[in-house]
Amino acid sequence: MHHVFFWISIFMMYAVKGQGTSDYTQFVNPRIGTSKMGHVYPGATVPFGMVQVSPQTNFIPMFHEDGTYNKATYDYCAGYQYSDTSILGFAHTNFSGTGHSDLGDLLIMPTCGTLDLSKRNEMQDHGHASSFSHTTELAKPGYYQVMLEQHGIKAEMTATERVGFHRYHFPTSDDANLLLDLVYNVYHHKDKNVWTFLRIENDSTITGYRQTNGWARDRKVFFTIHFSQPIVHYGYQRYDKNHYKGFYRRFNEARDFPEMAGKELRVWFKFKTQANKPLMVKVALSSVSTEGARLNLSTELPHWRFDEVVEEARLRWNAELEKIKVETMDSSDKVSFYTALYHTNLSPILYEDVDGKYRGLDQNIHVSDGFTNYTTFSLWDTYRALHPLFNLVQQERNNDMIKSMLAHQSQSVHRMLPIWSHYANENWCMIGYHAASVLADAVVKKVGDFDREKALLACTSTANVPYFEGIGPYLRYRYVPDDMSHSSVSKTLEYAYDDWCIAQIAQHVGKDSLRQQFSERSTYYRNVYDGTSGFMRPKMSSGKFRTDFDPMDTHGQGFIEGNAWNYGLYVPHDIPDMVHMMGGKKRMTEHLDSLFTMEIADKYIEKNEDITRDGILGNYVHGNEPSHHIPYLFNWTGRPDKTQKTVRIILNEMYSPEIDGLCGNDDAGQMSAWYVFSALGFYPVTPGSTTYALGSPIVVRAELPLPNHKTLVISTKNQSPANVYVKEVRWNGKVLKTPFVDHNELVQGGTLEFLMNDKPNHY
Amino acid sequence: MHHVFFWISIFMMYAVKGQGTSDYTQFVNPRIGTSKMGHVYPGATVPFGMVQVSPQTNFIPMFHEDGTYNKATYDYCAGYQYSDTSILGFAHTNFSGTGHSDLGDLLIMPTCGTLDLSKRNEMQDHGHASSFSHTTELAKPGYYQVMLEQHGIKAEMTATERVGFHRYHFPTSDDANLLLDLVYNVYHHKDKNVWTFLRIENDSTITGYRQTNGWARDRKVFFTIHFSQPIVHYGYQRYDKNHYKGFYRRFNEARDFPEMAGKELRVWFKFKTQANKPLMVKVALSSVSTEGARLNLSTELPHWRFDEVVEEARLRWNAELEKIKVETMDSSDKVSFYTALYHTNLSPILYEDVDGKYRGLDQNIHVSDGFTNYTTFSLWDTYRALHPLFNLVQQERNNDMIKSMLAHQSQSVHRMLPIWSHYANENWCMIGYHAASVLADAVVKKVGDFDREKALLACTSTANVPYFEGIGPYLRYRYVPDDMSHSSVSKTLEYAYDDWCIAQIAQHVGKDSLRQQFSERSTYYRNVYDGTSGFMRPKMSSGKFRTDFDPMDTHGQGFIEGNAWNYGLYVPHDIPDMVHMMGGKKRMTEHLDSLFTMEIADKYIEKNEDITRDGILGNYVHGNEPSHHIPYLFNWTGRPDKTQKTVRIILNEMYSPEIDGLCGNDDAGQMSAWYVFSALGFYPVTPGSTTYALGSPIVVRAELPLPNHKTLVISTKNQSPANVYVKEVRWNGKVLKTPFVDHNELVQGGTLEFLMNDKPNHY
């Protein structure tokens, strides 16, 4: 029932403010996807902002003796689960939708009365935590509000790009606290903290840093914090033994001593508060230094006008959201659409100070010369649709992101482009070297001014690192032998695709021998196809296919986050060849039909921590990326109608404007980017080519202002929930003969018109 | 016997090179003081250099269960003890003569054959350590050589300011190793390492950093290492569990994987070596970044000409040593003198990169604008004679050191000048705020161009921090009450003296109210004088002297590193008043006579870790600084002859050109500075005044070139071992009426002539 209250309150607020339909932030609900496996956070940030200030709910990591963790830990990649009933505080860094955890820096919690900080372990009761109710929560782009019931404190937060801004309405009290919890972390291992350092610079300014060894193993977050009122007293509770080790222990470090350092500190600040005068806190981050954070703070947020910052954040969000103006069949689709679009603007994030300085992969301080630096590249996910979406609506940022990746490569001791990188670290998550795809997609789509030759060299360097993930054997055997590297089939398929992307760049740059070399490598997918079983199948270095093979199993069968049935369809760069190899269009249609309708036994689901029954359609797993292109494959088997129907099912069933509206990890925006593209009626099945596969739009109409002052219009005729089929598509009035459309034509501006009806058609 | 071989070999070498008496480095033996409590190191460095590359001998810290350590650990403040028989490797940072331990970074050890790195604990046998013999050691300014017998490797090292340069003569081998031991530390606590990070940039370049929590609790050393030959293979042994924590453990990180991070790493590099081609290693340090270290390396040492660097180091040393050209009665005095002078040039050390960047106390990166930054300020020791010596022969450096202290103060969250600071950290060792003395001494001696008003403000800010070491009570009670702060009498005496220094600066700057205020504070020593017992004595906040009081005990009696008998004589800024207060000249002479002749019971010695029977004369403890001015006090009691005799005894008995030639910690050069001054015939009893107290020179003649192209000559007549008394002193021919001489007159140039004889005189 509280959903209703939420919408009433948000609509009322907008009504009061007099914002009309040109305010697209009203259609965003940041709480969508915050339950179950969505892994998004409800807190406040600006588009691609460096700070994400968001509530952390009662995360109870159950560590086993050996340091491993129970499944529940995985639920808290973004620090928040909707089903929880208490808040630990508000952290300043959060991933959006990732399938792995880190961050959660600088937890701030306001409390009243005596603080009991004696217990370190998060498994214990948190004396400082507070119960909360979702009825008091208000989450909108750039703003979050909640009532902390335990303490009678209304908490509000907003953000600029590099500064989190809090406003706490305390009761009148001589015993009000702000807790800065530097022990708290989002991660699934104990002992993540490496070091913390903190200085009370004056009665209202704190500086410091924390270094962690988490998913990123050498990560430093520097900060400067300002309070709107003077601190009366302060102190800390430490949980390690790193006191000053000089001859004598001279000071009472635990109280009113302005310098703190150690591994595990919780710091408290005592204030006198008045009910009519909220206590405000500004927290600026930097990857460089406390001086960098200070500069970010003084540049971005030199004042205390909270409401003004909320409004600025809204305007920033609106400026991004209005890049795609849609009309929908009903308001819930609009919420789904704009919430998805919102999710696609949460990462990669800005990662530099206002003066352009940032920490590089080599841990040196660099200056972004001629670009803006970004981090958090979940590339195995985001190369598929998120970066292609950026090539449509965030060209400038994507150019900067690519330059950031090239800078990463030049700083990499491996001379590799990012695989999965965040905060000046490579975490090596997942497989492939899909930065190549992002670069190729931008090259063929003529996006950005990054150096194409440098991009090619960065790709070829990356693709030839012999010790990386079976690359050596891949080059020697022309496939990744299953006895030499895990996930051998997935790797072979993805390397082949990435190599094709590199060939596209080589062609563009005019390096023919490289083009030939990588085109040749791009055919290696054929080497893991087993004609006998009809599946891509793990092959040994002996040249024989592995004998124990279960094409339904996602574990230990040569695939990762997928099985031979679905992941085995991954040859995006030569789908006709794949269709031919696998027995032709009819057989492929049957394979796909089976895929979408077959039953998966529970045993295959249970093993998987990040898919739920909600996210699957037969053996199609929308919650995991290797399937994302599959609904569109019917376009290549002569049955685009099946694509249209399937896409509409997925749009309707696997996304909803509800708290549990995401059927799997949003994966740094990839799931949402799939929604945005598919809702508009097309999808980039093959990033690195300019071709979009057409599907079935769910919008009634969309307008995309283009950088060249032209507009791309997507319009539909006879759009309705029942009319999921496309009878005809016209581009600027001309009927399309195939279910494909070219990006470089679309961005010249014009109208893509879908004629919808309720029966399958062949066009 | 091996002393003889050493001197034969060093003299032969110089003979071959044809260096004459203008080479003063020939009189320096860096091994003097490396046994027992001298705490100096024999390795290679340049004057005030940032790198000290020196052998680390078989340090066996015996840790107790509670993390405390046994006394033996204290012996290894400089990593080396002459009595040891094996070498663990060569570290790049070492304190000289300190009474507390830290540093010992980047231990490099060459070995041949299989390396067994399985044992982490230094208590275990070190498979990679090597036995050595002192007969193969050669230590001279800027150069160290030793034969590593276990492995048949001749090791040589030299240094530039920021780069350690190694040359290893291996046998021909396919199995030669260089071990980079990042676990090794000099410190008396376990668990000092916070983090290490390392990259193999290419086949002959390594970069990285180590962060430690030792005496300095937040200390970072960045480095870049070059090898003269390509690495064949490399890898590490780790003793912690900080492996890459991504989803999968993808790599064999332990071998040929170019990126390493964790808490405790030993890294090995395999080389092919030839007997006729030494393997060379250059290790550049930086406090800023690996990029800073790279810049230091490429700027300071772009080549591999080892012998040239050895010669450059020698020339640098000679340039410093020839600032005091002495003739002595015998060659052993000359060795004592120049070795002492050498020791006074080992710290403070340079602490900035070639581009002026350095890490500040706030952990931010600063640029030394208008000065050169220094660190390692053991001020409780060095304000006494070392900085005054700098005001005579290192004026430019002392100016830079003072500017470094002022920068420290501006970066301090406490707004305090350094107490005992090193490597961007304050370790709070010992008492007082003696930076004030260093500043005042330079002000009255007209040294440097540092901002005098800023200096005054820095002093008054420091002297008023209420939570520092009893300052609050000191201001309230006009002494430090013994029930409120430890070492209460020592603190009261030293604060009073420091306050007098501040008053001198205030007078110079013309701030009369501050001058008055601090002059008033400078009299507080009177408040701890107990006329009944005739001693300075701990006083309680009640206003009553403490009842249990043992003027011989150095522990828990209101003093630190001293007792009421000796430390109680510490009123350097108003000695006449002290003499008067304590009963007049005659009584003081008797007190002093008693002091130098009384027996100290063993129980008082045994409790003290850093004094030995060698360093005491009655109850006078030369090994600890609070006594250093005492021999000169007879000048104020009308018995300068007793000063003369006593000083000569100390010069002869407590310093010797032997391995055990220091009777206590050299204390960052203070002990040696005492020698240099006293050997020249005068001593700065009251830094902050321009007065030197005259003693009895041990030199025959000395020449000090002055910055103004004039020369200060010290000459003696009838100088002999028996003629310890001074009959007459003339300054530029004019007979002095008192046993004092003024610094500001001396630096105008001229001749100070001592007429020596063998009987006490009154002049």
Side-chain angles (χ1 to χ4, degrees), chain A residues 704-749:
Chain A
L704 290 77
L706 298 167
N708 50 9
H709 302 293
K710 292 180 183 166
T711 305
L712 169 61
V713 176
I714 289 138
S715 70
T716 59
K717 275 190 182 163
N718 300 330
Q719 177 65 295
S720 81
N723 290 355
V724 303
Y725 294 106
V726 177
K727 189 170 184 187
E728 189 179 275
V729 183
R730 289 169 187 265
W731 171 239
N732 288 335
K734 194 178 162 195
V735 177
L736 297 182
K737 301 248 166 62
T738 64
F740 303 104
V741 67
D742 189 84
H743 170 93
N744 289 345
E745 287 188 38
L746 293 191
V747 294
Q748 296 307 310

Side-chain angles (χ1 to χ4, degrees), chain B residues 240-533:
Chain B
D240 62 286
K241 290 172 185 171
N242 292 299
H243 58 75
Y244 263 134
K245 288 175 182 163
F247 265 12
Y248 301 93
R249 191 153 176 196
R250 306 277 170 90
F251 306 104
N252 177 8
E253 285 182 70
R255 191 182 164 89
D256 292 336
F257 186 75
E259 205 174 359
M260 307 170 190
K263 215 176 141 169
E264 303 220 302
L265 305 180
R266 287 198 177 100
V267 189
W268 53 268
F269 302 94
K270 192 72 76 182
F271 293 92
K272 291 189 181 184
T273 53
Q274 293 179 324
N276 58 352
K277 191 184 165 199
L279 175 63
M280 291 184 282
V281 190
K282 297 191 285 197
V283 180
L285 302 188
S286 167
S287 65
V288 174
S289 62
T290 61
E291 173 59 21
R294 193 197 60 72
L295 188 67
N296 292 340
L297 183 51
S298 63
T299 306
E300 278 189 2
L301 194 40
H303 63 78
W304 291 100
R305 298 188 295 276
F306 186 86
D307 294 328
E308 194 174 307
V309 177
V310 174
E311 176 61 7
E312 278 165 10
R314 188 189 69 78
L315 290 172
R316 274 178 183 272
W317 272 112
N318 204 41
E320 302 302 338
L321 298 171
E322 71 183 7
K323 287 180 178 172
I324 309 181
K325 297 173 184 165
V326 298
E327 291 166 24
T328 54
M329 290 178 275
D330 63 41
S331 63
S332 80
D333 284 351
K334 208 169 222 175
V335 172
S336 289
F337 186 88
Y338 282 106
T339 300
L341 190 55
Y342 172 81
H343 285 149
T344 66
N345 282 226
L346 294 175
S347 61
I349 60 160
L350 181 73
Y351 194 60
E352 63 171 43
D353 291 344
V354 290
D355 59 1
K357 285 188 187 162
Y358 68 98
R359 187 169 297 274
L361 194 61
D362 54 4
Q363 299 300 313
N364 283 314
I365 303 308
H366 298 261
V367 178
S368 60
D369 191 10
F371 70 106
T372 299
N373 193 59
Y374 285 83
T375 193
T376 306
F377 291 106
S378 180
L379 287 162
W380 181 82
D381 302 299
T382 59
Y383 81 92
R384 300 168 199 264
L386 183 66
H387 286 284
L389 180 63
F390 291 160
N391 282 337
L392 197 57
V393 293
Q394 295 284 359
Q395 299 201 355
E396 197 177 322
R397 286 192 206 268
N398 207 40
N399 188 35
D400 281 333
M401 289 170 192
I402 287 169
K403 289 181 177 179
S404 304
M405 292 184 207
L406 294 175
H408 171 116
Q409 191 268 341
S410 73
Q411 294 152 12
S412 160
V413 75
H414 314 283
R415 305 292 176 263
M416 287 181 75
L417 285 159
I419 304 301
W420 205 132
S421 71
H422 68 289
Y423 290 77
N425 279 264
E426 174 58 77
N427 65 47
W428 303 113
C429 190
M430 299 306 292
I431 58 170
Y433 29 86
H434 299 300
S437 167
V438 177
L439 270 53
D441 201 52
V443 165
V444 299
K445 291 175 181 169
K446 302 172 185 170
V447 169
D449 66 349
F450 62 92
D451 184 328
R452 267 58 178 169
E453 296 213 18
K454 198 170 150 189
L456 177 61
L457 282 172
C459 286
T460 58
S461 170
T462 304
N464 285 309
V465 172
Y467 54 80
F468 173 70
E469 293 276 41
I471 293 274
Y474 171 73
L475 297 179
R476 200 156 58 250
Y477 293 89
R478 303 180 162 229
Y479 59 93
V480 176
D482 197 61
D483 47 342
M484 291 184 156
S485 194
H486 74 90
S487 310
S488 62
V489 185
S490 289
K491 283 176 185 168
T492 302
L493 299 180
E494 297 197 6
Y495 291 159
Y497 161 69
D498 289 334
D499 290 340
W500 175 84
C501 289
I502 296 170
Q504 304 317 296
I505 305 175
Q507 177 159 40
H508 177 91
V509 175
K511 301 280 185 191
D512 202 56
S513 76
L514 281 175
R515 184 195 59 74
Q516 279 183 37
Q517 179 189 330
F518 281 88
S519 292
E520 168 66 21
R521 285 169 60 156
S522 79
T523 66
Y524 290 180
Y525 64 86
R526 293 174 191 157
N527 303 333
V528 289
Y529 180 68
D530 170 27
T532 311
S533 67

Side-chain angles (χ1 to χ4, degrees), chain B residues 55 64 68 120 176 197 209 236 330 403 425 448 454 540 559 603 761:
Chain B
H64 306 308
T68 59
R120 181 258 181 232
F197 175 81
Y209 75 87
Y236 70 73
D330 63 41
K403 289 181 177 179
N425 279 264
K454 198 170 150 189
M540 313 307 281
F559 295 92
K603 65 171 181 172
N761 312 273

